[in-house]
Amino acid sequence: MKKYLYKSFIIFIILLSIGTLSFADDIEEETVDVNAQIKESMNSGEKIPKVNSRSCVVLDRNSNMILYGKNEKNQVKMASTTKIMTAIVVIENTSLDKTVEVSKKAAGTGGSRLGLKTGDKITIRDLLYGLMLCSGNDAAVCLAESVAGSVSEFSNLMNAKAQELGLLNSHFESPHGLDSNGHYTTAYELALLSNYALKNQTFLAIVGTKNYTVTINGYPKNLSNTNELLGNLNGVYGIKTGFTNGANRCLVTACKRGDLDIICVVLGADTKNFRTKDSIKLIEYSFKTYEYFNLKDFVNDYVSDWQNQNSDYFFIEKGFSNHLEIKVDSSLQDNPIIPIKKDLISSVEINLSINSTMQSPVNEGDLLGKLKVFSQGTDIAEFDVFSNTMVRKNNMFDYMLNFFKWYPNQLENSVF
């Protein structure tokens, strides 16, 4: 009897453990009425969105500026949004038309699946669609093995790519995103990664596909995208859902309306309904609140006018000349157009802080001061200001020449 009870207890513990395993992605049965969520967001009186998600960010794709953030730089689990990195590493490291054979390890991977079996033949391209549309963990492992030989070696490629992109708070241990302590990112870095990946036309086409038919062993299989906002919310063109018990519900969304192009990341939502609601709230807030402003033209026009009106501004001690031209930090060229809150644009101002007196010599590229762009007490941008010309220090010949120019004038003006 005791032996029977002991075996029963062991079986119970095993079943309980199976029930609490973290699988990615979107295996839950919860459904979401996206249209109802959109309508609710439109009728909301919230000026600043209140969200359920533990961390989130809205990133402008053109400038990498944060339009909204909540714990956006906290390290968190990312579930199947991991597959954004998986896909871009695969695309950049192998031929998509190559046909591969599915291993026993890949076929046995749990969680959300493409439905691969040991020995199946499928192309890398179709595996990528299985990875990003239906979030196949089996596809993820098959891709990793095909590109790098093993999951661990592929993870090394993922981490090398993260280092290359400057993602210092991200670390990858798998191509699928099942929970592990050493597998994490931040909402901000996931947005940066997504922005990079979306610049690849193959990646862009895959994540923007609502339905697709793959071929496994010569037979077709229809796939549908798990991204509930794709095809339902105006301007959405990608990119990836995610869910594990440790990460909770996650969603990365790319959306463009007019010129404004954003990435919205929500991580750690309690339910699928919350992740959808949070994403819609943040997207609608961003387009309602921001528009692009030509910062480059605004600053350059100001500097040009200032230069014309302040030709005698500088005194350069012992300098050959007092004429000095200025230029703004080259980072202005990197982000010439930036998003600004609509209610701030009409009152944008500039404060230029430069010392008028300096020692010679002054070299081209010497730091002279700061230029700050602001509106209604809100800082918009700040740039270093440099010398755009050089002024050398006077030498003995210059002093002699100046004396001979000065002395005749003195004689002419003298009264005897």
Side-chain angles (χ1 to χ4, degrees):
M1 184 64 179
K2 288 183 179 180
K3 186 176 181 181
Y4 172 77
L5 290 173
Y6 177 77
K7 287 183 177 180
S8 298
F9 178 75
I10 294 298
I11 293 171
F12 173 78
I13 293 298
I14 293 172
L15 291 174
L16 184 63
S17 299
I18 292 173
T20 57
L21 285 175
S22 292
F23 289 132
D25 164 61
D26 286 338
I27 302 175
E28 78 255 65
E29 297 297 324
E30 183 184 2
T31 58
V32 174
D33 187 338
V34 177
N35 290 328
Q37 295 285 17
I38 295 172
K39 185 176 180 180
E40 181 181 334
S41 177
M42 296 296 188
N43 295 330
S44 173
E46 292 180 351
K47 291 186 178 180
I48 299 178
K50 297 177 182 177
V51 295
N52 168 268
S53 302
R54 305 295 185 273
S55 61
C56 56
V57 73
V58 179
L59 188 80
D60 171 53
R61 287 200 63 196
N62 292 303
S63 66
N64 280 343
M65 288 180 60
I66 295 174
L67 308 187
Y68 180 97
K70 174 186 175 183
N71 301 324
E72 69 273 16
K73 296 185 178 180
N74 288 3
Q75 290 181 354
V76 293
K77 298 181 187 301
M78 63 185 114
S80 277
T81 62
T82 295
K83 291 163 184 167
I84 296 167
M85 177 63 90
T86 303
I88 199 64
V89 170
V90 169
I91 291 168
E92 292 181 349
N93 285 279
T94 193
S95 168
L96 306 194
D97 296 321
K98 182 173 68 174
T99 298
V100 297
E101 183 173 322
V102 179
S103 71
K104 182 178 180 180
K105 178 180 176 65
T109 307
S112 53
R113 293 172 47 80
L114 173 59
L116 300 173
K117 298 187 293 295
T118 304
D120 280 349
K121 303 290 197 308
I122 185 171
T123 65
I124 296 290
R125 187 182 306 276
D126 281 357
L127 283 170
L128 283 169
Y129 277 94
L131 178 82
M132 300 306 287
L133 268 65
C134 66
S135 203
N137 294 336
D138 48 355
V141 173
C142 187
L143 286 166
E145 293 177 334
S146 300
V147 171
S150 69
V151 166
S152 61
E153 286 301 314
F154 187 81
S155 297
N156 290 337
L157 292 180
M158 299 172 81
N159 288 315
K161 191 66 182 180
Q163 289 293 314
E164 176 190 324
L165 297 177
L167 309 181
L168 303 181
N169 290 296
S170 300
H171 189 261
F172 299 86
E173 290 189 335
S174 74
H176 41 60
L178 293 173
D179 289 337
S180 63
N181 291 332
H183 193 90
Y184 54 82
T185 189
T186 71
Y188 175 63
E189 291 194 354
L190 187 55
L192 293 177
L193 169 62
S194 300
N195 194 17
Y196 171 83
L198 287 165
K199 293 174 183 176
N200 182 290
Q201 293 303 305
T202 299
F203 181 92
L204 178 65
I206 293 172
V207 298
T209 301
K210 187 71 174 173
N211 299 289
Y212 189 80
T213 301
V214 300
T215 302
I216 305 173
N217 298 327
Y219 294 96
K221 181 170 185 174
N222 297 322
L223 308 180
S224 295
N225 202 313
T226 58
N227 187 346
E228 63 266 25
L229 297 186
L230 186 64
N232 290 313
L233 185 63
N234 176 29
V236 170
Y237 58 94
I239 67 172
K240 189 68 188 76
T241 58
F243 166 66
T244 63
N245 292 336
N248 285 344
R249 280 68 178 179
C250 309
L251 180 59
V252 181
T253 310
C255 189
K256 183 177 182 181
R257 297 177 190 170
D259 293 329
L260 190 59
D261 195 356
I262 63 173
I263 292 171
C264 175
V265 177
V266 297
L267 302 175
D270 287 331
T271 66
K272 186 176 179 180
N273 190 63
F274 273 129
R275 88 173 180 194
T276 306
K277 181 185 293 187
D278 287 354
S279 298
I280 293 171
K281 277 185 178 183
L282 293 173
I283 290 169
E284 295 299 335
Y285 163 79
S286 300
F287 286 105
K288 181 180 179 181
T289 306
Y290 288 89
E291 67 180 53
Y292 281 133
F293 177 77
N294 194 319
L295 183 65
K296 178 182 175 181
D297 286 353
F298 186 76
V299 170
N300 284 343
D301 287 347
Y302 176 90
V303 169
S304 179
D305 290 343
W306 185 92
Q307 193 86 60
N308 291 334
Q309 296 169 17
N310 293 273
S311 57
D312 299 325
Y313 180 80
F314 295 104
F315 175 71
I316 303 173
E317 294 182 9
K318 300 181 181 180
F320 178 75
S321 166
N322 285 318
H323 179 72
L324 196 62
E325 294 182 5
I326 64 174
K327 64 180 179 181
V328 178
D329 183 1
S330 60
S331 63
L332 178 63
Q333 313 302 320
D334 300 333
N335 297 316
I337 311 293
I338 65 169
I340 294 181
K341 289 185 176 180
K342 295 176 182 179
D343 59 356
L344 297 179
I345 288 181
S346 62
S347 55
V348 176
E349 299 178 69
I350 288 178
N351 178 47
L352 182 60
S353 177
I354 305 177
N355 290 330
S356 59
T357 301
M358 58 192 72
Q359 294 286 333
S360 61
V362 178
N363 298 308
E364 184 177 352
D366 282 355
L367 179 64
L368 301 180
K370 297 280 186 181
L371 183 147
K372 179 182 288 188
V373 185
F374 63 97
S375 178
Q376 299 179 22
T378 299
D379 290 344
I380 295 170
E382 185 173 282
F383 302 98
D384 288 330
V385 177
F386 301 94
S387 171
N388 199 35
T389 52
M390 70 165 291
V391 177
R392 63 179 174 82
K393 188 175 183 178
N394 279 331
N395 55 36
M396 186 60 67
F397 177 78
D398 294 322
Y399 285 117
M400 292 175 61
L401 185 62
N402 288 335
F403 174 78
F404 287 122
K405 287 180 180 178
W406 169 83
Y407 187 67
N409 290 331
Q410 290 297 106
L411 290 177
E412 184 179 329
N413 294 329
S414 296
V415 178
F416 295 98

